[in-house]
Amino acid sequence: MRPTKKRRIDQETLEVEVNQIIRLEDHLKNAIDDGKSLNGLSDLLKIAEKEMGRPQLLHKCLYAIYRTFSLLISNGWFNSSGPRSQNTILVRQWLFKRLDQFFDLLGELFQHAEPLIKEAATQIPLTLLKQLSSSVSSATETPQIHYRTFRYIIPKYLRAKSSLAILVGLVNQYNDIRWFTLREIPRILHQVSLIERDDILIENTLSLLEKVDNMPKAKTEIKSFYIPELAKPPKDLAMSKPSEEDEELSDEDDWRKYFDSKESSEPADANTPDGRTSQFSTHRKLFYVQSHRVQFSGAWLALLQYIKSSPEHSNRVLSILHHTIMPNLTQPIQLMDWIGACIEFDGATALLAFNALFVLIQEHNLDYPDFYTRLYALLDKNILHVRYRARFFRLLELFLSSTHLPANLLASFIKRLARLSLSAPPPAIIMLIPFTYNILKRHPSLMAMIHREVDSLDLDPFLPDEPSPFLTDAISSSLWELNTHRLHYAAPISAMAQIFSEPFTKPSYVQEDFLDHTYGTLYTAEAKRRIVKEPAINIDTQKQLFGQRLENDSEWRNVKDPCNIWI
């Protein structure tokens, strides 16, 4: 098929414009070699900004600009080791402005519909960052990252969902990119106003930190670097053995802003022998595990301030807190305020917060006297009906597993749960009975609650409205609620409720075996159960559901039958 006239014209126009880009790039190459004017760089940037809707031309222009900047970097236009004249400084400032303009353009193209444009936009800034870092390291004879460029481009990756996967990959692959990214997150977040929230930035930052899964545990694991110059350890690294506090130092963001010193509340003077801030360069800190943990801690603590009012975001953090985040923090106790705020939420958020709080109490010696009082408040009328009740019982069994807990405290919990079981569905009761049995077997002093006879329910001494589990007087009451389940309509429940009237010689139940029951599993188990004794069958069947129809019309006239059952 012969091309139409319009298509031939468009093709010719494209070739002309591509040739113009090639000429500008060739002119810039000669200008770089001869030290002449670089105004052609501005022309290329204008073409790229103008032709954002034409992918083929835009792609040519982007890589022409990239090759020009790469040539400028390799020729020392951005960094030079010799003396700098005023003219050199002005040219360098102009070049950085053009570089920032290029990065801004690439940032707008992160969401471009054309895959090749999107790939170029996300890869070029990182490639230029590596070249600039190598250049400045060579010029200063000090391994370092080009921090100006890094600070300029990282926010763009954090604000674009499509480029986040690339940043996550780099963070999990390279120790230097992870260290600098984690250090940069607090600064980026602090620029966000609490009134005008940047929800995309917060969501992407949370997604990034959630996926950080290769925090080093030993120095031998710190060996992958994106910047080649940073990969070579300092010469005296093997001889120096700094203390744990020395490893936590940071050059620009003083770690004491986030973590209290163990011996002094004031930072040491950097100019004195005790001032350790100047003893370790950024390059040296990259090779210490504790330094990576400091940056990880700072990033998470900064982010938590922006998600503490969001139950959805808090749930995501709490679900990975105890096994992914806490082991890599320098001082997990710093999470106490945020976890305390999460406990104020209802439902699953509060439950997950209690799990994290229990870890702090158990492993980090946190003193939280109101733990069981707040946990007792979770036992409301909805707790046995929610979909996360299985997880609640897993954690509740853990929280109440200690044999050193007071008997009146445990009595309050099992009494409250027994009272709630009166209106609970069968799957919840089936997990509550073995749970109570295990507590009674572990604490024989509570046995009186199943042997005490109650003359009248009105005389039950239990105080259901008392918020403190230490003051409910539940230990003077009885578990008559569980005794009523012996007549439950569901055969598995009525059979299991019989265990409280038998000697406690059976071993404790494995709670996990009863946590995943549903109506379906109960029905399936009952339907497949082998019948040992045939049930009695009533031979005399009723012909009508509600008895005989009244013969007297006057009596029938007073009976309402909207559904025509009697007809």
Side-chain angles (χ1 to χ4, degrees):
M1 181 178 178
R2 293 183 59 188
T4 63
K5 182 177 181 181
K6 184 177 184 302
R7 185 178 300 176
R8 288 199 304 271
I9 294 175
D10 292 342
Q11 186 67 27
E12 293 174 357
T13 303
L14 178 62
E15 293 177 358
V16 171
E17 293 171 334
V18 169
N19 291 333
Q20 181 185 4
I21 294 174
I22 295 174
R23 287 195 300 271
L24 285 172
E25 184 181 1
D26 293 339
H27 174 74
L28 284 170
K29 288 180 181 178
N30 296 328
I32 293 171
D33 294 335
D34 299 337
K36 295 182 179 180
S37 174
L38 300 175
N39 289 332
L41 186 58
S42 296
D43 296 334
L44 283 176
L45 288 169
K46 290 179 181 179
I47 294 174
E49 292 172 349
K50 180 182 178 182
E51 305 297 342
M52 293 179 65
R54 302 172 65 186
Q56 189 173 358
L57 185 63
L58 178 62
H59 190 267
K60 296 281 186 182
C61 192
L62 290 179
Y63 275 99
I65 299 173
Y66 160 69
R67 288 189 292 268
T68 301
F69 275 117
S70 182
L71 186 60
L72 287 167
I73 294 170
S74 62
N75 281 269
W77 285 69
F78 284 89
N79 299 283
S80 58
S81 56
R84 295 180 294 178
S85 63
Q86 183 66 25
N87 185 49
T88 302
I89 294 175
L90 292 176
V91 171
R92 188 166 297 170
Q93 290 176 350
W94 183 85
L95 285 175
F96 273 115
K97 289 181 180 180
R98 302 290 76 76
L99 182 62
D100 293 344
Q101 184 181 353
F102 186 42
F103 287 149
D104 290 338
L105 172 64
L106 294 174
E108 295 178 9
L109 298 174
F110 280 178
Q111 308 287 350
H112 201 277
E114 179 62 39
L116 291 178
I117 298 296
K118 185 188 298 185
E119 180 183 2
T122 54
Q123 295 295 337
I124 287 176
L126 297 170
T127 306
L128 291 177
L129 170 66
K130 178 183 288 189
Q131 295 176 7
L132 285 166
S133 300
S134 298
S135 177
V136 70
S137 298
S138 176
T140 60
E141 298 182 354
T142 302
Q144 58 185 290
I145 196 171
H146 198 273
Y147 197 56
R148 181 193 182 280
T149 300
F150 185 82
R151 294 182 69 170
Y152 199 84
I153 66 175
I154 286 300
K156 301 183 184 301
Y157 284 86
L158 284 176
R159 285 186 167 91
K161 193 68 176 179
S162 59
S163 60
L164 185 63
I166 295 176
L167 184 58
V168 170
L170 291 173
V171 165
N172 283 325
Q173 183 177 359
Y174 300 108
N175 291 281
D176 51 349
I177 295 296
R178 183 185 59 248
W179 193 92
F180 285 107
T181 301
L182 293 176
R183 188 177 74 166
E184 193 64 15
I185 285 176
R187 185 190 69 84
I188 297 173
L189 292 176
H190 291 164
Q191 295 176 349
V192 179
S193 172
L194 289 174
I195 300 176
E196 299 178 359
R197 290 169 52 90
D198 190 340
D199 293 331
I200 296 178
L201 174 63
I202 294 174
E203 170 66 26
N204 289 350
T205 304
L206 176 57
S207 298
L208 171 66
L209 293 180
E210 282 178 326
K211 295 178 175 64
V212 176
D213 57 6
N214 69 333
M215 288 293 294
K217 300 294 186 294
K219 285 185 179 181
T220 54
E221 298 179 11
I222 306 176
K223 54 187 178 182
S224 179
F225 291 85
Y226 184 73
I227 308 301
E229 288 72 17
L230 294 176
K232 185 178 181 181
K235 296 180 180 179
D236 55 346
L237 181 66
M239 296 183 294
S240 62
K241 295 182 179 180
S243 65
E244 180 176 335
E245 290 187 0
D246 288 337
E247 294 181 5
E248 295 182 6
L249 295 175
S250 176
D251 56 340
E252 292 192 14
D253 53 341
D254 187 4
W255 66 276
R256 293 178 181 86
K257 295 177 183 177
Y258 303 104
F259 306 99
D260 296 329
S261 175
K262 296 180 180 179
E263 299 180 357
S264 174
S265 59
E266 297 181 359
D269 185 1
N271 297 322
T272 65
D274 294 331
R276 296 165 301 199
T277 303
S278 60
Q279 291 185 8
F280 297 97
S281 64
T282 302
H283 183 211
R284 180 186 297 273
K285 293 176 194 140
L286 292 176
F287 291 88
Y288 289 118
V289 174
Q290 192 70 5
S291 179
H292 287 265
R293 295 178 63 195
V294 168
Q295 306 308 329
F296 185 81
S297 302
W300 269 113
L301 290 174
L303 176 64
L304 293 180
Q305 300 303 314
Y306 293 88
I307 65 173
K308 60 183 179 181
S309 60
S310 171
E312 179 185 355
H313 288 156
S314 298
N315 283 352
R316 291 168 56 182
V317 177
L318 289 168
S319 62
I320 63 172
L321 187 64
H322 62 288
H323 59 81
T324 301
I325 301 176
M326 281 187 180
N328 294 311
L329 297 179
T330 54
Q331 295 185 18
I333 204 74
Q334 293 282 336
L335 299 172
M336 175 55 216
D337 291 338
W338 178 77
I339 294 175
C342 291
I343 291 177
E344 300 296 333
F345 292 113
D346 296 329
T349 305
L351 176 61
L352 293 171
F354 269 106
N355 186 30
L357 185 60
F358 186 76
V359 173
L360 290 179
I361 294 173
Q362 190 177 45
E363 299 181 6
H364 302 282
N365 300 322
L366 174 67
D367 184 18
Y368 193 81
D370 295 332
F371 177 82
Y372 287 101
T373 301
R374 302 296 292 273
L375 180 63
Y376 185 71
L378 283 182
L379 303 181
D380 56 16
K381 62 181 180 180
N382 299 319
I383 194 64
L384 297 181
H385 297 266
V386 294
R387 55 186 174 86
Y388 57 83
R389 64 175 174 237
R391 183 165 192 172
F392 173 78
F393 270 93
R394 286 189 183 96
L395 296 178
L396 190 61
E397 184 184 30
L398 175 65
F399 299 156
L400 302 180
S401 60
S402 174
T403 57
H404 300 288
L405 293 176
N408 61 336
L409 171 70
L410 293 165
S412 297
F413 274 91
I414 61 176
K415 178 63 177 180
R416 172 69 74 87
L417 288 171
R419 183 66 59 87
L420 294 174
S421 71
L422 294 176
S423 60
I429 302 175
I430 207 72
M431 67 176 67
L432 174 61
I433 292 176
F435 175 82
T436 306
Y437 179 88
N438 290 345
I439 291 182
L440 293 174
K441 189 172 179 63
R442 196 160 49 238
H443 299 270
S445 60
L446 300 177
M447 286 294 185
M449 298 183 69
I450 62 173
H451 296 302
R452 186 178 290 119
E453 296 183 0
V454 179
D455 297 332
S456 175
L457 298 182
D458 296 334
L459 301 179
D460 193 340
F462 175 62
L463 303 175
D465 297 327
E466 171 58 47
S468 174
F470 298 96
L471 305 175
T472 61
D473 201 21
I475 198 169
S476 300
S477 179
S478 68
L479 298 177
W480 60 264
E481 298 91 347
L482 296 181
N483 189 54
T484 63
H485 295 314
R486 297 171 63 183
L487 302 176
H488 199 278
Y489 70 88
I493 295 178
S494 60
M496 182 167 285
Q498 302 292 333
I499 62 173
F500 295 111
S501 60
E502 300 174 358
F504 274 53
T505 56
K506 296 180 180 180
S508 298
Y509 287 95
V510 178
Q511 187 69 34
E512 196 67 29
D513 295 340
F514 302 91
L515 295 182
D516 297 324
H517 277 298
T518 62
Y519 279 104
T521 58
L522 290 177
Y523 173 80
T524 302
E526 189 65 15
K528 293 182 178 180
R529 183 169 62 91
R530 186 171 63 90
I531 299 177
V532 179
K533 182 179 179 181
E534 293 291 338
I537 299 177
N538 186 6
I539 303 301
D540 298 330
T541 59
Q542 295 290 338
K543 295 181 180 180
Q544 294 181 348
L545 182 61
F546 295 103
Q548 298 295 326
R549 177 179 178 136
L550 298 175
E551 299 295 338
N552 192 334
D553 292 339
S554 61
E555 295 179 1
W556 176 254
R557 193 176 298 112
N558 297 325
V559 177
K560 297 180 179 180
D561 185 23
C563 297
N564 297 323
I565 297 177
W566 303 92
I567 303 303

